[in-house]
Each structure stands twice: as C-alpha cells, then as structure tokens.
Amino acid sequence: MDVSRIASPVTGVVGRFFLGVRLLLRGLGLYVRSPKLMLLGIIPALISGVLFVAAFAALVYFVDDIAALVTPFADDWSATTRNLVRVIAGLAFLGLGGLLGVLTFTAVTLVIGDPFYEKISERVEERLGGTPGAVEVPFWSSLRRSLADSVRLVALTALVGIPLFAAGFIPVIGQTVVPVIGAAVGGWFLALELVGAPFYRRGMRLPDRRSVLKADRPMALGFGVAVFVCFLIPLGAVLIMPAAVAGATLLARRSLGQTIVEH
C-alpha cells in the first residue's frame, strides 16, 4: 500500500471515508508482517469467539420459542399467517442478536485481550516514532477505565439498536435502509472503542476521543464501517481484531495530527 497517499491531505467526504478504509488495510499490513504479533493478537479473539458462538447458537436454538413468546396475538390466526409472522420475528431477533454480538464482541475481546492489544498498539506506535505526550497508566487503572468506557458504549449501542430492531419490521425499508444505518451506527461505535488504547496512552478518555473523531467523522466512519463489515464475515472478527487495533492506532494518530509514516 502507498503510505504517502494515506499520510497526505485528503479532501471531500467520500475521499475521507475511503481514507478510513485504507487505514484499516494498512493496519492489516503492519500486523501480518509480524508473526509474533499475529500469535499474540489472536489468542483473546479466539477466547471471545468461542463464547459468542456458543451464545448465538443458544439464540438460534431458542429463537422459535422467543418468537412465539413475543407474538401471543398470533395464536388464533391461521397456521400460515402465524408461522409467517413468527419467522419474521425470529429473523428480527437473530438480526438484532447478530448486531449486538458484533458490537459487544469488541468490548468483551478488548477487556480479555487488553494487555495483548496494548502491546500491539505500542509496537505500532514505536514503528511510527513513539507516542507524543505519553503518560504512565497503571495496568489495573487502565483496565478499569477500559471496562467502564466499554460498558458505556454497549449501553449507547443498545439504545440505538432497539429502534433499529423495531424499524426492521417495516417492509422494504427494514431490509434496505435499516441495514445501512445499522452499519453506520455500528461503525461509529467500533471506531470509538478501538481507538481507546492510543488515547489512554496519552491520558485521554472517552469524551476526548469522541470529540477528536467527530472533527473528521467521515474518516472515522470509513474505518469503523470497514471493520464492521469484516466482523460480519464468518470468523472475520476473530481474524481482523488485532489488525483493527493496529489500524485504530493509525486512525488515532492521524486524527490527532501525528505522523503515520514508519521510521
């Protein structure tokens, strides 16, 4: 990848959006060139992957019962109409479960893999000349802050996800417009969450990174949506998470006006 294209100024909403996408691709390149980092990064993602696959499998197993539970009004309808309504309800629950799974997977994996991903992020910054304004943050303090911020992000995600879930029942719009909105919302929250490590390293919290990323929302959305789409691919979350952390370090540095050219 041409690093100079990423490091040079980019204008226009579309250009900034695809700059965010390229930051993820460059993060992937940085990650795969280091086998030790690859091994280090995949361990927490595998642990979370097993937990979430088990949870989603349980949802699939019980989805018929859940659909029947939330549609008692259809009990007296004809079998065809009742089954159709419950299939739609079941698909909606699976869609919501998938959306929340993609987003909460990040939170849980970051908590499990905090020391692993912190090391990946640190090494990426070392390649780029170090961390300007770095502060010493004790491990347990960093873990508590990461957990608290992750809980806040999950709560915000749920508040947004519930209306999107309801909108999913609207014919046509629920199958076209809503998924696009879901990807944009999910991408924004993923970008906010993934840049946590480099911001903590500079003594900056969730409100700081929200403010900084808002200053170039198209770039942050491009990065986050690209990660979101990768996470929807089977095993994509397990494979892309460490590279996403590397890419998020580039996003943080770029957003803060710091160099992303390797030394």
Side-chain angles (χ1 to χ4, degrees):
M1 179 172 294
D2 187 353
V3 176
S4 63
R5 289 182 59 200
I6 298 177
S8 61
V10 178
T11 59
V13 173
V14 175
R16 303 298 297 176
F17 182 90
F18 282 102
L19 172 60
V21 176
R22 294 202 300 274
L23 287 174
L24 174 61
L25 294 177
R26 188 183 167 204
L28 179 62
L30 287 170
Y31 176 67
V32 298
R33 292 202 302 269
S34 176
K36 290 183 179 179
L37 288 184
M38 290 182 67
L39 179 61
L40 185 68
I42 204 167
I43 293 173
L46 286 174
I47 295 172
S48 288
V50 170
L51 295 175
F52 277 85
V53 166
F56 193 76
L59 176 61
V60 172
Y61 183 80
F62 290 108
V63 72
D64 290 340
D65 295 332
I66 296 172
L69 183 65
V70 300
T71 57
F73 53 83
D75 288 344
D76 298 327
W77 294 1
S78 67
T80 301
T81 305
R82 181 174 63 248
N83 290 339
L84 177 60
V85 168
R86 288 178 176 169
V87 165
I88 293 174
L91 290 174
F93 271 106
L94 290 176
L96 178 63
L99 174 62
L100 292 178
V102 166
L103 296 170
T104 56
F105 175 91
T106 306
V108 172
T109 305
L110 283 175
V111 171
I112 292 174
D114 188 72
F116 300 94
Y117 297 137
E118 176 68 25
K119 184 59 65 177
I120 291 173
S121 183
E122 281 182 7
R123 291 190 180 181
V124 170
E125 296 232 54
E126 287 171 3
R127 290 188 179 189
L128 303 176
T131 306
V135 298
E136 189 68 30
V137 181
F139 170 77
W140 290 111
S141 296
S142 174
L143 183 60
R144 284 196 302 270
R145 289 179 181 179
S146 177
L147 181 58
D149 286 351
S150 294
V151 169
R152 289 171 63 186
L153 284 173
V154 169
L156 288 171
T157 299
L159 287 175
V160 175
I162 290 171
L164 288 176
F165 166 67
F169 286 97
I170 302 174
V172 182
I173 293 177
Q175 292 74 49
T176 53
V177 177
V178 172
V180 173
I181 296 174
V185 172
W188 172 250
F189 284 122
L190 281 173
L192 272 177
E193 194 163 354
L194 287 166
V195 297
F199 274 81
Y200 284 143
R201 203 174 297 120
R202 292 162 173 80
M204 304 171 75
R205 296 291 304 279
L206 178 58
D208 300 307
R209 62 189 198 247
R210 185 189 295 120
S211 176
V212 170
L213 292 190
K214 276 184 178 179
D216 196 343
R217 194 186 294 270
M219 181 174 66
L221 277 175
F223 174 81
V225 169
V227 175
F228 183 89
V229 171
C230 289
F231 278 15
L232 293 177
I233 300 170
L235 296 179
V238 172
L239 298 174
I240 205 68
M241 175 65 84
V245 171
T249 304
L250 299 173
L251 173 64
R253 292 180 67 94
R254 176 87 192 210
S255 300
L256 291 166
Q258 296 163 1
T259 180
I260 59 170
V261 178
E262 291 186 59
H263 287 56

